[in-house]
Amino acid sequence: MHDSPFTRRLFLQRGCALASLAATVPAFIERSAFGVLGNPLLSSNPGVPDERILVVVQLGGGNDGLNTVVPYGDAAYYTARPQIAVRAPGTNASGAQVALELDRDAGLGLHPALVGFKELYDAGNLSVVQGVGYPNPNRSHFMSMDVWHTGRADAKGSGWIGRYFDNVCNGTPIPEGSIAIGRTAPLAMQGDVQKPISFDNPALFRWLGEDLHTAMKSPYDAINRAGSLPGTTADTQRDFLMRTALDAQVASDRILAAVRKDALVRYPDHALARQLRTVGAMIRDGMPTRVYYATMGGFDTHGGQTGTHANLLRQVSESIVAFQSDLKAQGNQDRVLTLVFSEFGRRVKQNGSNGTDHGTAAPVFVVGSKVRPGVIGRHPSLVDLDQGDLKFGIDFRCVYASLLEQWMKAPSEKILRGRFASAGVVRA
Amino acid sequence: MDAPYQPIAKKDFDFAAAQHLLSRAGFGGTPAQVRALVERGPEGAVELLLDFRRGASEESPVDGRPAAGIELRSDIMRQPTPEEREAERRARAMKDEETIARLQAMRQQRERDDRAQLALMQKWWLSRMIETPRPLEEKLALFWHGHFATGYRTIENSWHMAMQNEMFRRRAAGNFEVLVRGIISDPAMLKYLDNDENRRASPNENLARELLELFTLGEGNGYSERDIKEGARALTGRTFRGNEYFFDQQQFDTKPKEIFKRRGAFDGDAFVSMILERPECSQFLASKFYRYFVSDAPTVTRDGKEVVLRMAKQMRESEYDLRPVLRSLFLSQHFYAQANRLAIIKSPVQLIVQTVRSLGTPTREMKSLVDAGDLMGQQLFQPPSVKGWDGGRAWINTATLFVRQNVVVYLVTGRRPQGFDWSASEMAWDASHLIEHLRDQRGELDSHDAVRGLVSFALGGEVSPHRIAQLEDFLRTLDDPNATRVGHASLTDDRIKALLCLVGAMPEYQLC
């Protein structure tokens, strides 16, 4: 990565050059060329690593961390969860869920549905960060999610990924810098300047009026691809709109072209897998996007959670494994890290309906060939609790700091508005 | 030097000027409604828009029905009664898991009900903006919502949001001082900015800071950190009980404070009066009005700055009575200057409401329109932060632009994608009124005039010949290649709608 000619510095120079041009006029000229020629900075030749990419996978609803990374060596775990606990590896009990071995010395296992994660772990492509949380945890889904998205205890202000872009390229957004798959873009990606592109279905990231009649496309293109109106040079609102309209056309062309090709590997047929397949297609096509965002919901397992939770984790594991295989087939495996997180874990004690209620700290996963593999951090104590909940060991912003500093090579202190020691999730 | 703030001459108040007024002091209107304003002349037109408290519906040029009422519950998020609290305490003490689980399920149900009520309010407000015969009232309510921004997600009480919304409407063009006093007594705001935790022994500065920085003076504009600290003490004890404002005498800091270098045992009301005496306050509010009503260009012109100063002066002279200032502004030559026509980027709400009100399309499905607003960056009752919506260029990026273009397609045709398929809402509407009014004025129309008239009306101003040529080329491709000319008769309803979809996809359509 470091000896690649396509360094971050060049990307930034290029991005910022766009920024300074945008205020005058010729940005759209460059954008047009960009659209036709592709991004000259990015090669998608297999084996040529270039820009580093971060993929964020959000598990909404509060994933039960204790049944994901299972502390089978701790008797307190079985006391707290008599009906729903995952058994220790090697347990011979019919019908019971038996953990996959993760770290025998520490007495840690993985939920049996995470077969793919286990393979990634064994191959050195998975980093498990334990006990991740934050002080004075909020147990509301919305508030806690906002805390994770903003990186701030008061859950207010812009998103941490948005601020990353605001910092690396002050003044003007990078049109395809960040892409979220989903109906709405997550707060995490909203900067003061940088705004993400978001779409549920890439086929709809375009003007839909062209479906009304075949003759509509040509006048639409004439209107939206001009980049400027004849005879205007000033930086009026109208000029700004003309430039953005061209940006939108270029982005739409690129995204639609990217997803048109069949993937190199087979993805399973779940919502998360579909999203990651789209992300994989865009990476393969050499999009200049630095951060992608995918989401999956349903983790709010208040009742009868055993089957549901297993099913959810299976989808996560299968989707991410397929994505990693795709990246490998593309030759892009060294360019991409994937962060998997949830807004909180769940109560240590199971509740009255064989489920679990909202809790606090939980594990975070980082996937990729460049992670520091293994288990990072200690498993939180199951007896030294705070109001029935785990005490966090690693602040989630230490994970962000590691990704920003070590992976994206960005100043984390400024972006996170505070000094957070890197959790060291990237291989040094 | 006075010219920009001098009133416009009656002869200059033509169709385009009246259309400009109606889109800025409201959300646009049909050709017939614009013409009705022209006939009243500038004073009459402005008065009609501004004097919305007096039964405007009767001879309103905007002839919408008053919005249907809405039944809201005030008690969904009520505090538990002492009995309920006691029952929960007992269940916890006795480790009665079943009761605890039941109480928790009830609480979660109430939270769900409350979110459902908020979703209802979002639809209600949007349809009220679409249907109101008093558009300036809603336009101002929306302004205050962005100015005194309060987010539902933080306060989680839809009734409090509804009460605040009603206050913005009631005091929309009244007195700013009354409005500020209202906001420091408003449960939603007190909760949002933590003033319910602003106590004598441990002051919380959040409300005091935003009151100075965002609501009255502007960031760093004529106040010090000390004024914030001392001001916070003046605001202690202002909290709420249930749905009512409550002044908690026990928590009020009675000791003297030093604010703006004056000493006294000031309370919240005194603090507000002192703020409003600062000249920075009138200038700050005048600038915000200017950006909302006149131009949101990144730099303000010399005339623009002059107008802001005149507005500020008038505001002080009227002791913050806002109607006189708005009247002068909406009559001023500067407001109608060509440079200020089509100079504001429509907010998502403006885009939706103006498209329906001016073209006369059906409203389609409210839920879809609310969702579209969200996708375009404006969710009612949920501004992104206490700063409100930045507006201007911040509305526009590659993603929001497609949604903006597609929402016009949806309103005009009823077609939209549902997941991976298309669905169409079959509500028919007649677009020909957008052309018929030209015939009424000019007699027989040729196709060129019809297209130009349609497009300049939909865009709300002069259209470049280049654009007309693009659209006429399009119409020709639809015609029988053997036909020699495009007749007006060929401008069928379908073709008008196709043209409107293309106009809605023009970058200029984002301006008003």
Side-chain angles (χ1 to χ4, degrees):
Chain A
M1 175 70 211
H2 297 289
D3 49 9
S4 155
F6 306 115
T7 61
R8 170 186 157 269
R9 193 163 41 81
L10 269 173
F11 173 84
L12 294 187
Q13 280 170 355
R14 184 193 159 74
C16 293
L18 269 174
S20 56
L21 285 172
T24 56
V25 165
F28 68 85
I29 296 171
E30 192 172 354
R31 297 286 300 157
S32 322
F34 197 34
V36 176
L37 303 174
N39 184 345
L41 275 184
L42 287 179
S43 117
S44 43
N45 297 338
V48 183
D50 28 46
E51 277 309 321
R52 290 178 166 193
I53 292 168
L54 175 67
V55 178
V56 179
V57 173
Q58 169 179 310
L59 309 180
N63 177 40
D64 183 8
L66 283 174
N67 274 18
T68 305
V69 175
V70 180
Y72 67 81
D74 192 337
Y77 170 66
Y78 295 98
T79 314
R81 300 182 159 205
Q83 269 80 41
I84 65 164
V86 177
R87 302 287 129 192
T91 309
N92 198 355
S94 70
Q97 305 201 80
V98 178
L100 306 166
E101 188 70 82
L102 197 61
D103 181 340
R104 185 190 293 263
D105 297 337
L108 286 175
L110 277 178
H111 189 285
L114 294 172
V115 178
F117 270 32
K118 165 79 172 149
E119 288 164 11
L120 290 169
Y121 184 82
D122 290 343
N125 290 332
L126 179 70
S127 171
V128 180
V129 193
Q130 300 202 90
V132 184
Y134 56 92
N136 304 314
N138 194 304
R139 289 168 186 80
S140 143
H141 292 294
F142 297 126
M143 286 303 288
S144 193
M145 197 55 102
D146 286 358
V147 168
W148 278 79
H149 281 221
T150 57
R152 288 167 57 116
D154 65 3
K156 287 181 180 161
S158 54
W160 72 285
I161 297 166
R163 288 200 300 274
Y164 157 73
F165 283 100
D166 287 352
N167 263 280
V168 296
C169 197
N170 220 358
T172 298
I174 302 168
E176 291 119 78
S178 48
I179 297 183
I181 315 293
R183 217 181 56 79
T184 53
L187 172 59
M189 290 181 130
Q190 307 286 356
D192 289 329
V193 175
Q194 175 73 16
K195 305 291 176 189
I197 290 175
S198 64
F199 47 81
D200 213 355
N201 171 356
L204 301 180
F205 183 65
R206 62 186 176 90
W207 185 56
L208 300 172
E210 67 186 19
D211 296 359
L212 296 169
H213 193 286
T214 49
M216 301 284 275
K217 173 101 174 100
S218 160
Y220 174 80
D221 281 349
I223 288 164
N224 278 278
R225 288 177 194 264
S228 69
L229 276 174
T232 62
T233 48
D235 186 33
T236 62
Q237 301 293 46
R238 191 176 300 216
D239 293 294
F240 164 76
L241 286 159
M242 295 291 291
R243 288 197 302 270
T244 313
L246 176 58
D247 280 345
Q249 301 310 312
V250 173
S252 170
D253 290 349
R254 292 215 60 166
I255 290 165
L256 293 176
V259 301
R260 207 168 286 139
K261 287 182 229 155
D262 286 331
L264 296 173
V265 303
R266 228 182 71 78
Y267 279 84
D269 190 27
H270 334 118
L272 180 61
R274 273 197 293 276
Q275 295 181 34
L276 291 176
R277 187 178 58 200
T278 302
V279 172
M282 290 189 280
I283 292 172
R284 182 182 169 202
D285 204 54
M287 298 265 304
T289 311
R290 303 293 309 277
V291 182
Y292 293 95
Y293 209 100
T295 49
M296 174 174 170
F299 287 85
D300 198 16
T301 49
H302 284 283
Q305 78 165 45
T306 301
T308 317
H309 193 233
N311 196 23
L312 291 165
L313 291 181
R314 184 172 306 111
Q315 292 182 26
V316 172
S317 174
E318 288 178 4
S319 304
I320 285 177
V321 165
F323 180 58
Q324 283 304 120
S325 316
D326 191 3
L327 293 175
K328 198 161 178 199
Q330 298 173 14
N332 279 323
Q333 72 273 22
D334 294 339
R335 292 179 56 204
V336 183
L337 279 196
T338 302
L339 167 74
V340 185
F341 83 98
S342 188
E343 72 269 35
F344 42 61
R346 307 192 76 83
R347 249 316 108 98
V348 175
K349 228 164 131 346
Q350 69 177 67
N351 64 19
S353 35
N354 289 335
T356 45
D357 297 325
H358 301 180
T360 52
V364 154
F365 298 97
V366 187
V367 186
S369 65
K370 295 294 183 187
V371 299
R372 176 151 71 101
V375 178
I376 294 174
R378 284 210 184 143
H379 199 285
S381 164
L382 298 187
V383 286
D384 177 20
L385 300 176
D386 177 15
Q387 302 173 54
D389 279 318
L390 301 173
K391 292 179 178 171
F392 77 99
I394 294 176
D395 192 299
F396 70 101
R397 286 160 293 196
C398 297
V399 178
Y400 290 176
S402 172
L403 293 168
L404 289 167
E405 297 274 350
Q406 294 182 278
W407 187 245
M408 309 301 273
K409 305 288 179 195
S412 73
E413 188 166 348
K414 210 168 156 208
I415 294 166
L416 299 175
R417 299 197 182 113
R419 186 72 226 147
F420 293 94
S422 164
V425 297
V426 182
R427 193 174 295 175
Chain B
M1 180 150 138
D2 284 353
Y5 210 49
Q6 289 299 307
I8 181 182
K10 189 164 193 307
K11 68 173 170 46
D12 294 330
F13 192 69
D14 55 10
F15 187 88
Q19 193 180 12
H20 173 71
L21 173 66
L22 193 51
S23 70
R24 294 294 181 80
F27 304 93
T30 60
Q33 291 164 350
V34 174
R35 266 214 312 281
L37 282 187
V38 176
E39 276 159 27
R40 290 176 162 263
E43 283 87 8
V46 168
E47 213 44 47
L48 184 75
L49 286 163
L50 202 56
D51 194 18
F52 49 75
R53 302 302 287 179
R54 209 178 303 160
S57 58
E58 204 179 7
E59 45 177 0
S60 167
V62 281
D63 88 325
R65 291 170 285 121
I70 180 174
E71 292 285 329
L72 293 178
R73 286 176 55 196
S74 62
D75 62 347
I76 301 177
M77 297 304 285
R78 67 175 172 76
Q79 295 299 307
T81 61
E83 294 78 38
E84 287 165 334
R85 238 192 292 264
E86 174 59 20
E88 176 157 7
R89 193 197 58 76
R90 213 174 313 129
R92 289 206 182 277
M94 292 163 61
K95 295 205 186 298
D96 175 359
E97 296 288 346
E98 199 177 317
T99 306
I100 293 171
R102 191 170 48 81
L103 290 170
Q104 191 182 6
M106 281 166 61
R107 199 157 40 234
Q108 283 165 356
Q109 184 58 46
R110 281 209 304 275
E111 286 167 5
R112 275 195 296 276
D113 290 348
D114 198 57
R115 286 197 290 275
Q117 176 155 295
L118 190 89
L120 186 68
M121 284 161 53
Q122 291 174 321
K123 291 191 278 186
W124 165 79
W125 193 9
L126 196 60
S127 45
R128 184 166 174 137
M129 288 189 258
I130 288 171
E131 294 178 2
T132 179
R134 296 140 61 131
L136 182 58
E137 180 181 42
E138 296 307 317
K139 186 110 177 191
L140 280 163
L142 185 60
F143 174 84
W144 296 122
H145 179 38
H147 183 83
F148 296 112
T150 306
Y152 169 75
R153 193 184 273 203
T154 306
I155 72 158
E156 293 189 317
N157 189 319
S158 61
W159 178 253
H160 290 179
M161 292 304 297
M163 291 198 307
Q164 188 191 66
N165 186 251
E166 199 41 49
M167 177 176 75
F168 291 152
R169 193 169 289 109
R170 200 169 58 244
R171 299 180 178 168
N175 186 288
F176 183 62
E177 182 159 4
V178 175
L179 193 52
V180 178
R181 285 184 203 284
I183 208 72
I184 63 164
S185 315
D186 176 59
M189 180 60 82
L190 293 171
K191 175 77 187 167
Y192 188 61
L193 293 182
D194 307 310
N195 211 65
D196 54 336
E197 290 170 20
N198 186 12
R199 304 190 182 101
R200 178 164 55 183
S202 56
N204 184 308
E205 294 171 9
N206 208 359
L207 179 62
R209 181 178 301 278
E210 307 306 7
L211 182 60
L212 293 169
E213 181 180 321
L214 296 172
F215 302 161
T216 58
L217 298 181
E219 190 177 355
N221 203 9
Y223 61 91
S224 65
E225 281 297 310
R226 167 148 201 181
D227 296 327
I228 294 176
K229 273 201 164 57
E230 300 285 293
R233 293 176 50 220
L235 293 170
T236 47
R238 300 186 76 94
T239 183
F240 60 97
R241 293 268 166 92
N243 294 331
E244 302 294 327
Y245 166 69
F246 177 73
F247 180 66
D248 189 345
Q249 187 68 51
Q250 301 294 317
Q251 295 302 340
F252 175 64
D253 183 341
T254 51
K255 289 206 262 327
K257 294 110 191 162
E258 192 183 306
I259 301 175
F260 301 132
K261 306 207 161 82
R262 275 161 57 189
R263 242 179 113 71
F266 306 120
D267 62 6
D269 283 334
F271 184 35
V272 168
S273 300
M274 290 164 76
I275 297 170
L276 268 72
E277 281 165 22
R278 316 284 298 177
E280 289 89 349
C281 182
S282 55
Q283 277 164 31
F284 176 70
L285 185 61
S287 299
K288 279 202 86 169
F289 271 162
Y290 186 85
R291 246 179 87 76
Y292 192 70
F293 289 114
V294 184
S295 167
D296 62 3
T299 44
V300 182
T301 61
R302 238 181 60 192
D303 274 0
K305 285 178 186 153
E306 176 62 27
V307 164
V308 169
L309 287 177
R310 295 291 303 257
M311 289 167 71
K313 183 161 174 277
Q314 199 182 359
M315 233 176 247
R316 292 193 298 274
E317 284 165 2
S318 71
E319 296 181 326
Y320 285 99
D321 213 350
L322 299 174
R323 256 195 190 81
V325 181
L326 291 170
R327 181 179 296 113
S328 302
L329 182 66
F330 293 144
L331 284 171
S332 72
Q333 293 177 22
H334 184 73
F335 177 76
Y336 294 96
Q338 279 307 322
N340 291 326
R341 305 271 179 104
L342 299 183
I344 288 181
I345 296 181
K346 287 171 183 159
S347 69
V349 165
Q350 181 85 26
L351 179 80
I352 292 169
V353 177
Q354 189 168 340
T355 299
V356 177
R357 290 188 76 123
S358 61
L359 304 184
T361 71
T363 53
R364 311 287 169 193
E365 196 187 282
M366 265 310 148
K367 172 81 168 66
S368 303
L369 297 183
V370 169
D371 287 351
D374 187 10
L375 291 176
M376 294 184 281
Q378 192 172 33
Q379 199 181 359
L380 293 174
F381 302 110
Q382 193 55 275
S385 75
V386 65
K387 278 196 350 235
W389 292 280
D390 291 338
R393 295 187 179 189
W395 290 127
I396 304 294
N397 59 58
T398 53
T400 59
L401 202 52
F402 280 122
V403 184
R404 283 172 168 256
Q405 297 178 346
N406 289 334
V407 81
V408 176
V409 173
Y410 174 56
L411 286 169
V412 169
T413 69
R415 284 166 62 87
R416 68 168 161 181
Q418 283 278 40
F420 290 77
D421 296 317
W422 280 90
S423 73
S425 110
E426 296 301 328
M427 273 180 285
W429 67 287
D430 182 9
S432 66
H433 74 104
L434 297 169
I435 290 192
E436 290 310 315
H437 81 107
L438 293 168
R439 203 206 308 276
D440 296 346
Q441 280 180 307
R442 299 185 206 163
E444 198 45 50
L445 283 176
D446 67 12
S447 160
H448 180 75
D449 285 343
V451 171
R452 209 183 56 183
L454 175 72
V455 176
S456 70
F457 174 76
L459 287 176
E462 270 306 303
V463 189
S464 77
H466 177 68
R467 284 284 189 245
I468 302 297
Q470 284 173 326
L471 295 174
E472 289 185 326
D473 284 350
F474 160 67
L475 288 177
R476 263 189 292 276
T477 64
L478 299 178
D479 275 328
D480 179 351
N482 299 320
T484 49
R485 57 184 281 276
V486 187
H488 169 233
S490 70
L491 219 48
T492 57
D493 194 55
D494 275 354
R495 288 184 180 198
I496 294 174
K497 286 172 183 164
L499 287 176
L500 290 174
C501 288
L502 285 168
V503 170
M506 288 179 182
E508 305 91 292
Y509 192 75
Q510 307 310 330
L511 297 169
C512 74

